[in-house]
Structure formats: C-alpha cells, structure tokens
Amino acid sequence: MNGARIGYHGRSHAEGLIEGIEVKIRKYRESDRTALVKLLEELMDYIASIDDLKRIRRMPMFGESYAQRILHKVAENSGIIYVAELGSEL
C-alpha cells in the first residue's frame, strides 16, 4: 500500500500509534458497513449541531442511504475505501 507514514517506531506506512492506541489502515470490508453507517450519522449530527441557522438536520435513514451512495460510486469508479482501526473500533 502506498501512502503517508503514520506514527513512528519503525512501523509501516499503514500502521502507527496515536496516544498508545495502535492504528491500522486497511481496505473497507462489507462487515464494516454498520460502523460506516453509524460514523456517517455521527458526522451529520455534528454538522447539524454547529449549524447556527438550524438549516441542516439528519433525516432518518441518512447513514444507510449515504453509505449506499458512497459504496455505489466507489464501485462504479473502481475506487477503494480505506478505514482506520483504532484498537478494535473504526
């Protein structure tokens, strides 16, 4: 895998340490979908929380719908999604 080096201690460019937690960068797997949906919903919740005009809100099923769109676009364009594992979490 080509990419930027994360952390130190002689680890490969796809691994590193963040405050004592091992970080591993790897390709997305279908088993990551639940975590991806949750993370997309948390991101949208955060974006909505900083919208002073309250124009942005997360609609029901946003995470699943957006994940489906992202995965479709990536597949359609022969792309790759990478995820970061911090310990045992994405």
Side-chain angles (χ1 to χ4, degrees):
M1 178 189 323
N2 294 328
R5 186 176 193 81
I6 300 172
Y8 303 96
H9 311 291
R11 295 183 178 267
S12 74
H13 60 274
E15 296 179 358
L17 292 175
I18 294 178
E19 297 181 28
I21 299 174
E22 186 171 342
V23 177
K24 181 178 179 185
I25 307 295
R26 62 167 175 78
K27 289 182 181 179
Y28 169 86
R29 298 186 288 244
E30 186 58 32
S31 61
D32 298 325
R33 189 179 185 111
T34 301
L36 175 64
V37 168
K38 180 178 178 258
L39 290 167
L40 289 169
E41 289 177 348
E42 289 175 0
L43 175 62
M44 184 52 91
D45 287 344
Y46 172 74
I47 292 169
S49 77
I50 61 172
D51 174 22
D52 291 337
L53 299 176
K54 304 299 179 206
R55 293 181 293 175
I56 299 173
R57 60 188 169 142
R58 179 172 59 88
M59 301 302 289
M61 298 301 295
F62 165 80
E64 183 59 43
S65 174
Y66 196 60
Q68 186 174 345
R69 271 189 287 164
I70 290 170
L71 294 169
H72 176 75
K73 282 187 176 190
V74 169
E76 186 176 68
N77 293 291
S78 301
I80 300 172
I81 295 175
Y82 290 98
V83 297
E85 286 184 336
L86 299 171
S88 63
E89 294 184 7
L90 289 190

